[in-house]
Each structure stands twice: as C-alpha cells, then as structure tokens.
Amino acid sequence: MRSVRRTPAELDEEHLVRLVARGDRAAFEELYRRTAPWMAVRLRRRCADEQIVAEVMQETYLAVWRAAGAFAGASVGGTAVGWLWTIAARRLVDAFRRRAHHAEPPSAAALPDAAPAADEEALAGTVGGDVGDALRHLAPELRQVLQAMVLDGLSVRETAVLLGLPEGTVKTRARRARIAMRRALV
C-alpha cells in the first residue's frame, strides 16, 4: 500500500506548522493564506495604526518561520492558531513599547463600538450558560482587560501597554472583573 502525500491545502494548521519547521515553503504560504486575514482583523481591533499592524504581521510570520520547531501543539493542549495569536499579541506589545520610546504611544482601538467585535461574539458563542451571561454583562473596560489577560494570555504589564492604561488600573479592573464574575455566578 502506497502512502499518499497530501497537499498543504488538505492539512490542518498544526500539520502546516510542523512542515514549516522542516522548511516547507508551500506549507508556510498555506498557513499564511489561512491565518493572515483574521490575524490582521484582530490586530486592527487593538491598534488603529496600519503601519504598526503591518510591522507586527511581518514580525509574527518571520517568527513563525524561524521558531516553528518550538511549537509543542496538541501535546500540551495548544493549537497552532493560539500559538500564532500569542506571537502576534506579544509582537504588538513590543511594537507599542518601541513606539513609546520615540513618541506618544499609538492609540489602541479599544474604544467600545456600536456593534460587538468578532472576537467578543466568538467568546460569547463558545462560552454559554451562566458564564456567558456574566461575561456579556461585564462593563466593556472590564471585559477588555479580562480578554487580554485571560484569552490572550498577556501579563499585567503587556495588557497595560496594549490598552494604554497604567498597570495599577489594569490590576484594579482585573480584580473588579473577577469579583463581578463571582457575584454573577453565585
């Protein structure tokens, strides 16, 4: 029986990352084609400066190409998409820090919109029941901090830079969000 080699378009993202680790350019191109559109949208939700978004995208995919071999994947409960987003989120924080040394920090696109953000809708769709209701009833500024720290896995300092807030404010909002969630779930 012969082994049939599948094309990159037929593989999931985790397999693509593993092929990228072996230097497979076609796998890298397919990974980029699949993930770059949503990554750009998600970055734009956090940063209104297109130049920074473009830099972060470039740095993220360069890091993916160089560090794909370090991706642990499902063996540690991770996903390729989550790994990519973690790299991008950290690169965005780094970009904010670099810009802060040269000028005023760019404004984060963290202002509440009339329509809910796609990632907020996805969060609400995946977290149902009482927890989902509690999340939807959180004040937007508390939900933003909770999203950055819990979903995006950022530290207090990184969240502060990302949202353009003092670290103390981030800590206070995180505490208020936890208290509100506990009260809503009792």
Side-chain angles (χ1 to χ4, degrees), residues 11-43:
L11 299 172
D12 65 14
E13 287 81 6
E14 183 166 341
H15 285 97
L16 290 173
V17 172
R18 298 210 185 288
L19 289 173
V20 169
R22 291 187 233 148
D24 188 325
R25 282 181 139 2
F28 180 78
E29 290 169 6
E30 178 64 19
L31 184 67
Y32 181 85
R33 185 191 66 73
R34 287 186 197 178
T35 60
W38 68 259
M39 175 114 35
V41 168
R42 214 164 166 193
L43 288 169

Side-chain angles (χ1 to χ4, degrees), residues 61-136:
Y61 285 99
L62 181 60
V64 167
W65 178 255
R66 290 179 176 165
F71 173 63
S75 63
V76 294
T79 66
V81 171
W83 181 69
L84 284 167
W85 175 246
T86 300
I87 293 170
R90 294 188 189 281
R91 295 292 187 261
L92 183 61
V93 170
D94 291 344
F96 285 167
R97 286 182 182 145
R98 282 192 306 269
R99 295 286 171 118
H101 292 292
H102 302 292
E104 289 195 27
S107 61
L111 301 175
D113 295 322
D119 49 350
E120 288 173 6
E121 287 180 354
L123 172 64
T126 58
V127 180
D130 295 336
V131 174
D133 290 340
L135 282 170
R136 284 186 283 282

